[in-house]
Amino acid sequence: MTRWAKDVSPDRVRPEYPRPLMVRKEWQNLNGTWEFAFDDRNEGRAGGWHSSSRSLPDRILVPFTYESALSGIGKGKEIHERVWYRRAFTVPAGWNGRRIRLNFNASDWETTVWVNGKEQGVHRGGYDPFSFDITNALKPNGPQEVVVAVYDPADPARAGHQPKGKQLGSEGIFYTRTTGIWQNVWMEPIHTGAPELLDWRAEVDLKADVGQLTTAMLVRDADVETKVDLIVSRGGKEVSRQSFVQKTPATAQPRTAYLAPIVRKPMLWSPESPALYDVTLRTTQRGAGGWTVVDEVKSYCAFRRYEVKNGRLQLNGKPYFLRGVLDQGYWPDGIMTPPTDAALKADVEATKRLGFNMARKHVKVEDPRWYYWCDRLGVAVWQDMPSSHNLRMPEARENFRKEWTAVVKTTAGYPSVLHWIPFNENWGDPGAFQDEIVTLTRKLDPTRPITDASGWTQRGLTDVIDAHDYSNNLRVHGINLTNNFGAKPKVVGEYGGIALPVAGHTWSSGWGYQSARNPEGLLRRVRYQTSQLFEAPNLSGFVYTQLTDVEQELNGLLTYDRLPKADLKSISAIFTGADRSTEEIAGGFIKDWLVLGPLPSGADIRSAINDPAGQTVMDRLLELPHLTDEAALNPKEGDAVRVGGTAHRWKRVRLDSDSADFHKLFGGQTNNAVVYCVARLSSARDYRNAALLFGSDDAARVWLNGKLVHHIAQVRGVNADQDIIPGLNLTRGENLMVVKVVQGIGGWGLTARFEDAKGSIIPATSGP
């Protein structure tokens, strides 16, 4: 549980108004305890579960899904693709004569709703809000009943063709699934003459120093004279107003009307100065006693200009460097649902306190209140689309197309949202579909830049070049704006990923792309990487991985329950660029080796999956001595060794990076093989309780001064500092380290360095 869980109770679940861009005074919260049932046999509809005579057996706290602890069920490791909900409610007497809308902020994925046994509609989409006009299904008085059935197919390779983001189960880079209602459920009364807001955009002309709020509304029929006022104000003072009056016969079809009040010399929004304007949309009607207010919507807007210009990302007419953090939006107690509004606000506040001016909302669409706090507190947003993991099927592409359209329309009204990212890396293998979605996005919103795919597989239509790089060599991402590549801005959309587990605050044993032993080590590694990005010429921004730990990912700057892993001011100084250094660990990695290989292992591993069978084979190969007296190998360059009837010679290698790439060293791909590496480490003094920070692809054994100190039997990739082996001693003078690496298929290599007991780098003075 997070510290906010204590504020959640059945009679108080997310009590704040749930739609900050369109606030009405009257509304009713339907969160709380609902009846609930799993429907694994898909018998609910045939069994009449939607009828008022049927009671469901379990109880759940809405809007938390059954996978979460806060739901009261907490079956996060189970898969139930079909679930049902039921609850009674009453309509306030003061709402009589108005239309009643039942609103769902989000439910994953296919949601069918009945009111008093009458089907109201079906919505498909897991991340966008939807609503139904339930007026005609309501009884004249007394208790009413709503029943909800949700279908959320889990397997992308079968029926699960909907966008899922990271909801593939808690393993690796994926997390616990979310099934069913996961955001607020609520009702509101709407006067028949009130316009329905369709679109809401604030734009600014920097040269003319003028802002304009363009509002598109669907005006419904009314048989009395109706006036609609759009009022813009700041600090209680009106700065602009525009109105229209209409009288439409009751038989007329709804039409789209526009209002576009102009604001002179607007204050501009930025993360440093998040200036907002209050907006009121007021509907009045003329009756016998004069004009009467029948509907009033409160909102807000901001004026800012974010664009690509002269090869850079610019905000309000000037180059703007985006210092971003990857924000997954997951919670240990609520999974995708935050426990409270205060918890959401705290995440945004933490983002700013850590020195960031931007958050990349990673393959998730967030609760509306998160965007509200970003708008208010000043955090720019790069908005991802939740990934589909199988875009080969036409049905999957259509689901993606429809839901991305809904996501853009849903989040485009928030001033903090600056940037669209429809695809992450190559997830789902979109191919040419990527171009189609970029074209669609430009039609939906021509005002924001688009990164077509953050990471690996960008195509020609992208506005921004985006690299993902979890190595320690980040200066290479600087660009020369005079060449064709540099004509577009470049960002490093993911880097870092440095793990630091905090005892008592982890979901499970886990991993990071690199590891640190203590807060000082974390700061040192973050400083080393981030400083390079500030030095990379003409870079437009970066995104550090990540804000918090998430389940088995331990690479957050905060723990999963939101405790900082190091001093916040020290972290902030790094990400704002006030504290820079690239020298502290540059010499830490061992780069001088004697290498022997590749030696045939005799195995026949054909998969790069780290399954028990592969681990067993790796374990056996590590135990098998391919050379005699492995622990005490002490060769000279050029020494010959005969293995399996073939002669091999020890080769001296000087690395030009932090890790050894054996494919490069041996001149090509070599599967199912073994390599031995020997380093002689010269130490100026004794080090007690030192630590070896090690990574290998795949399994490995390490001996130090003749003693076995590490054995790892896994199929994996090379990640710096992935394994931390504490309690080692280096003696003054020469120390001998022998490493044996066993490979299956794919990548192949190792990386190694030493730290002292305090986490400081031990210089890697070594040589064959």
Side-chain angles (χ1 to χ4, degrees), residues 677-707:
C677 300
V678 175
R680 296 185 179 92
L681 309 174
S682 179
S683 178
R685 62 181 180 86
D686 291 339
Y687 287 94
R688 303 300 178 191
N689 197 27
L692 170 64
L693 286 80
F694 181 80
S696 63
D697 184 346
D698 289 312
R701 271 192 162 191
V702 182
W703 294 267
L704 182 63
N705 295 327
K707 179 182 178 181

Side-chain angles (χ1 to χ4, degrees), residues 33-38 55-60 73 75 86:
T33 302
W34 290 50
E35 294 179 6
F36 181 77
F38 297 120
S55 179
L56 303 180
D58 298 319
R59 298 295 179 269
I60 191 170
I73 298 176
K75 294 184 177 181
R86 176 189 178 277

